[in-house]
Amino acid sequence: MTMTSRFAATSISSAALLLGAAPVLAADTVIVTVPSITTTAPIEPPGTLPNRALLRSGAFTLAAAYVPSLVVAIESEHPADQQLYAPIVGPWFDLASRGECRGDCSGETVNKVLLVTDGVFQGLGALQIIASFVMPETRTVALPNSDGSPAVAFSVTPAHLGHGANGVLAVGSF
């Protein structure tokens, strides 16, 4: 029995149970049995993946901001620029330890602005990488019919049902 036919059989039997339901009084005991389905492969793989788009953009942002810092740390003779070897915090340590300018200070303001910009972008890249694990990727699972159209498309969300009652709402097409 294919996965689609098993799912259809379960859906039909569940609908028959719901349509044939009678009103129940509070003192009545109700026993509902639902046939179990065994599948050979899970519909959705186990585990949670990080948000790949956010992870890629964070890695790109961090690398694009760190590579120029690394070049400056290697090439510069200024002692404070050695702090730039440290990713994310290096520009801020460099900015804090620059001290007073002696001699030609024509480019020092530009250097400080570039350090702040570099520190902000390295920090944003690191935050994107962390956020990719905090906000995992969402996936939609569609079970196809034999003609290729989706057999079931629904979403489940928390719902407020009135007068302090909360529950779950499933909306979709079956």
Side-chain angles (χ1 to χ4, degrees), residues 51 54-55 57-59 61-62 123-133:
N51 190 325
L54 199 55
L55 184 63
S57 67
T61 303
L62 180 60
L124 286 175
L127 284 175
Q128 284 179 316
I129 292 171
I130 292 169
S132 73
F133 292 100

Side-chain angles (χ1 to χ4, degrees), residues 106-147:
S106 60
E108 193 62 22
T109 303
V110 173
N111 289 340
K112 289 181 179 180
V113 168
L114 290 173
L115 282 171
V116 169
T117 304
D118 190 42
V120 167
F121 277 98
Q122 285 187 32
L124 286 175
L127 284 175
Q128 284 179 316
I129 292 171
I130 292 169
S132 73
F133 292 100
V134 175
M135 297 179 289
E137 191 172 290
T138 57
R139 289 176 268 180
T140 302
V141 177
L143 301 173
N145 285 328
S146 59
D147 64 353

Side-chain angles (χ1 to χ4, degrees), residues 53-71:
L54 199 55
L55 184 63
R56 271 189 238 117
S57 67
F60 177 78
T61 303
L62 180 60
Y66 179 64
V67 168
S69 291
L70 190 60
V71 170

Side-chain angles (χ1 to χ4, degrees), residues 153-157 168-174:
F154 71 94
S155 62
V156 178
T157 182
V168 177
L169 178 65
V171 178
S173 60
F174 298 91

Side-chain angles (χ1 to χ4, degrees), residues 158-169:
H160 179 71
L161 303 174
H163 299 299
N166 295 314
V168 177
L169 178 65

